[in-house]
Amino acid sequence: MEVRSREMMMADKEKILVVDDEPSIRKYLQTLLEVDGFEVAAVPSGKEALERIGNAERPDFVILDVLMPEMDGLETLRQLMQVDRTLNVIMLSCSNEVTTVVEAIRLGALDYLTKPFEKPELDAALLKSRQKQELRSENQALREYCEQLTEDLSFLAASPQMLKIRQQILQIAPVDVPVFISGESGVGKEVVARMIHLRSLRRQQAFVKVNCAALPGELLESELFGYEQGAFTGAVRSKPGKFELATKGTIFLDEIAEMSPHLQAKLLHVLQDGQYSRLGARAVVNVDVRVLAATNMDVKDAMRTGRFREDLYYRLNVLSLHIPPLRERTTEIPLLFRHFLVKYSEKYQKHAPDPSKHLLEAALRYPWPGNLRELENFVKRYVILEDDEGSFRELLEMTGQQHRTAPREESPVPKEQGLKALVRGLKDEAEMEAIADALEKTNWCRKDAARMLGISYKALLYKMRQFNLDSGRGSRSAAAKEAAKQAALKDAAAKEAAAKEAAAKEPAHVTPGVRGS
């Protein structure tokens, strides 16, 4: 049974590359491993090993000697890991110094054998490396599944606009070029950036986020590009920048329009040449990073006023995505509400409450100026407080405040919608008058007023808050009185205008025998 399973395992021969400067060791290992069914290649130097692997000749295992002339095993291992970090490397050495072993493991070796070694030791090292590789593959598959699940949960697309954006992301993510993401604060620009990274060819590497508005120019420069020891007061040791940390991966520059003009110029140089210098350094650092940039500003206005460089914008804007605000995709509000509900119920270990119908309806009516971030915070409070009615009242107050703080002249009604807006305004005034009258007739007993009007108690509460009719008992609210006053003034003005128009249309009467002067 054991022989049969070994034959099945070796049906597709595993490839091993032996790297050792001693011909006798190379010959011994090659013979020993070929007897076990491996396909073995042997080279005498680290340079030749790098050339073979650089030419896409990827072995299943690499057996690498530590002590070699010109390029030793540790330097060879370091460069091999830069080419492919998934290589399974077993180190060989005549010495078992702890520092050497630790350094080899830190660089990426899976095991370490001391010469001379017995065949069972080599077999055990190969088996251990194979098991580690299988575990790594399982972890990677699980990570990809979790990332896919997280991506699907974070990027909820139900509206036509967001479905289109999702399709665009799937198209542009594999293309290794900069992407410029625009949209109001809180619409989910970072979620879009992370999805681009997860769908790109760089998904195995780092995703580094930098908020360009969070730091002043000097600190932001050192944060992005790093610095050398003594570059400025307090620089007691060298520090790599975010670009170095994101090498081979993706860097997300959020609020990039807040970056100073000097730093914009340096960033442009990095994008053009793929290299830069740390603060206080003379050496040049080559960088291979995909840049994703985002802003909530009006970019054209920022370029017109000189706050944002045109050449940098056109360098970044190879592909662009505009994320619409939440008020333009209200179909997603119930989905997002329940997503955040589940998320924070689990986080705070609370039972996920079922939101009432009138709460979700109020959430649909509220414009959410803070977009997803505001909705997320609202749901967070809802989960913590466990008060559906209180959350409903909070939404009504937020809606009323939004209406009061938004002047009509700032959002003029389009001409083609003028008649609809007029009818809606008259309807609201009539509703407000009817509710105010019912409240006065019932001595401000809201249940009796709701029964008189033929509506539910909750609907009456909503209308009262909408029209600000909850200021006091026994009299109409200030808003109702003001509305009545305005209506009376409009009526008087209309009558006066009609009288003037009628007078203008009457024919002039001239008294006979009298001439005008």
Side-chain angles (χ1 to χ4, degrees):
M1 179 70 72
E2 184 178 348
V3 174
R4 186 177 178 182
S5 62
R6 184 169 183 81
E7 288 176 352
M8 291 175 64
M9 184 174 65
M10 291 298 178
D12 294 329
K13 285 188 175 182
E14 292 179 302
K15 298 178 181 179
I16 296 182
L17 176 63
V18 176
V19 187
D20 198 306
D21 61 314
E22 297 183 27
S24 59
I25 297 294
R26 292 200 305 273
K27 184 65 176 176
Y28 170 71
L29 285 172
Q30 188 165 5
T31 302
L32 196 66
L33 293 167
E34 284 178 345
V35 168
D36 282 346
F38 291 99
E39 182 180 328
V40 184
V43 294
S45 68
K47 183 179 179 181
E48 291 183 52
L50 287 165
E51 288 176 355
R52 291 179 69 96
I53 293 175
N55 292 330
E57 297 183 25
R58 188 189 185 284
D60 295 289
F61 301 96
V62 178
I63 299 177
L64 176 61
D65 188 26
V66 172
L67 300 175
M68 293 187 296
E70 296 182 6
M71 183 186 293
D72 66 13
L74 291 178
E75 180 59 29
T76 303
L77 176 61
R78 183 180 291 106
Q79 295 193 30
L80 284 174
M81 290 296 104
Q82 291 177 355
V83 175
D84 186 353
R85 287 201 63 85
T86 64
L87 286 171
N88 303 312
V89 181
I90 300 170
M91 303 298 293
L92 299 179
S93 178
C94 298
S95 170
N96 60 351
E97 292 182 6
V98 174
T99 54
T100 306
V101 175
V102 170
E103 181 65 10
I105 300 301
R106 187 188 70 80
L107 290 173
L110 295 183
D111 211 337
Y112 192 102
L113 293 178
T114 305
K115 298 177 184 178
F117 55 84
E118 300 294 331
K119 185 176 183 301
E121 294 179 80
L122 179 60
D123 290 341
L126 290 171
L127 178 60
K128 182 179 177 182
S129 299
R130 189 180 294 111
Q131 290 173 340
K132 285 185 177 179
Q133 175 60 25
E134 290 173 356
L135 183 60
R136 182 190 294 165
S137 300
E138 290 175 3
N139 287 341
Q140 180 59 36
L142 182 60
R143 187 182 300 111
E144 288 179 357
Y145 170 76
C146 291
E147 287 176 346
Q148 180 71 34
L149 183 63
T150 303
E151 170 194 317
D152 290 342
L153 286 175
S154 299
F155 193 93
L156 294 174
S159 63
Q161 305 99 306
M162 296 307 290
L163 288 171
K164 181 179 179 181
I165 288 173
R166 185 184 184 90
Q167 184 59 37
Q168 290 174 333
I169 289 172
L170 298 179
Q171 290 177 326
I172 69 180
V175 185
D176 202 10
V177 294
V179 181
F180 196 87
I181 307 168
S182 60
E184 294 180 7
S185 179
V187 293
K189 297 187 288 294
E190 184 179 347
V191 173
V192 170
R194 287 186 182 276
M195 185 176 178
I196 292 173
H197 172 71
L198 291 173
R199 292 286 188 170
S200 73
L201 302 177
R202 298 173 180 263
R203 59 182 172 271
Q204 306 294 341
Q205 307 302 326
F207 176 88
V208 178
K209 176 192 172 184
V210 181
N211 189 332
C212 300
L215 296 171
E218 298 77 8
L219 290 178
L220 181 58
E221 183 174 4
S222 64
E223 188 75 10
L224 286 173
F225 304 113
Y227 53 82
E228 293 294 332
Q229 182 179 358
F232 51 84
T233 304
V236 294
R237 60 179 180 272
S238 299
K239 178 186 174 182
K242 297 294 187 184
F243 270 95
E244 286 178 75
L245 297 177
T247 297
K248 303 292 184 181
T250 304
I251 189 167
F252 175 49
L253 302 176
D254 197 11
E255 306 302 343
I256 191 171
E258 301 285 352
M259 189 181 288
S260 67
H262 161 71
L263 205 49
Q264 290 180 30
K266 187 167 184 177
L267 177 60
L268 179 63
H269 172 70
V270 175
L271 292 172
Q272 289 174 339
D273 302 335
Q275 55 183 214
Y276 65 91
S277 297
R278 286 183 180 181
L279 291 175
R282 296 182 180 178
V284 173
V285 179
N286 292 315
V287 63
D288 176 18
V289 176
R290 184 179 190 179
V291 178
L292 307 178
T295 184
N296 59 8
M297 279 190 183
D298 184 336
V299 180
K300 292 183 178 178
D301 183 63
M303 289 191 294
R304 186 166 53 251
T305 57
R307 294 185 63 187
F308 195 63
R309 293 177 62 108
E310 288 191 33
D311 47 4
L312 176 60
Y313 172 71
Y314 293 123
R315 174 67 63 173
L316 289 169
N317 193 30
V318 178
L319 294 168
S320 62
L321 292 171
H322 178 73
I323 315 303
L326 190 56
R327 62 182 174 275
E328 294 181 9
R329 43 188 174 109
T330 54
T331 52
E332 293 171 359
I333 290 177
L335 294 175
L336 289 164
F337 196 106
R338 287 189 164 84
H339 163 63
F340 293 135
L341 190 64
V342 172
K343 175 181 176 180
Y344 289 107
S345 296
E346 292 177 355
K347 181 176 180 178
Y348 301 132
Q349 297 182 349
K350 287 180 173 284
H351 174 70
D354 189 18
S356 61
K357 183 179 178 182
H358 66 273
L359 178 62
L360 290 177
E361 289 175 350
L364 285 169
R365 286 190 293 267
Y366 181 60
W368 300 106
N371 295 294
L372 272 69
R373 191 175 295 122
E374 185 182 11
L375 176 61
E376 183 175 8
N377 289 336
F378 176 81
V379 177
K380 195 183 297 184
R381 291 194 298 275
Y382 175 72
V383 171
I384 294 170
L385 299 175
E386 298 180 333
D387 184 2
D388 191 280
E389 192 63 33
S391 297
F392 174 68
R393 289 197 300 270
E394 181 187 356
L395 260 185
L396 294 181
E397 290 172 3
M398 290 161 59
T399 304
Q401 185 178 9
Q402 185 70 19
H403 287 317
R404 289 192 296 271
T405 56
R408 294 185 179 180
E409 57 270 19
E410 290 184 3
S411 55
V413 179
K415 291 182 179 178
E416 60 272 15
Q417 296 181 7
L419 184 58
K420 291 182 180 179
L422 178 61
V423 171
R424 192 181 304 114
L426 293 172
K427 175 179 173 292
D428 288 345
E429 288 182 8
E431 283 186 352
M432 181 168 57
E433 288 292 321
I435 292 171
D437 287 335
L439 288 168
E440 286 186 354
K441 290 176 181 177
T442 58
N443 197 25
W444 284 78
C445 179
R446 299 177 183 183
K447 289 184 178 179
D448 292 343
R451 194 177 302 111
M452 179 184 294
L453 292 167
I455 59 177
S456 68
Y457 180 72
K458 288 181 179 179
L460 176 63
L461 290 179
Y462 171 73
K463 289 292 184 182
M464 287 177 66
R465 293 191 179 278
Q466 180 183 354
F467 300 132
N468 199 18
L469 289 170
D470 53 354
S471 62
R473 180 188 293 267
S475 62
R476 296 185 183 185
S477 68
K481 290 181 179 179
E482 181 63 23
K485 180 180 177 182
Q486 293 297 328
L489 290 174
K490 286 181 183 178
D491 186 49
K495 289 179 179 179
E496 184 179 353
K500 287 182 179 180
E501 185 178 357
K505 290 181 179 179
E506 288 184 6
H509 296 284
V510 180
T511 304
V514 178
R515 293 185 181 182
S517 55

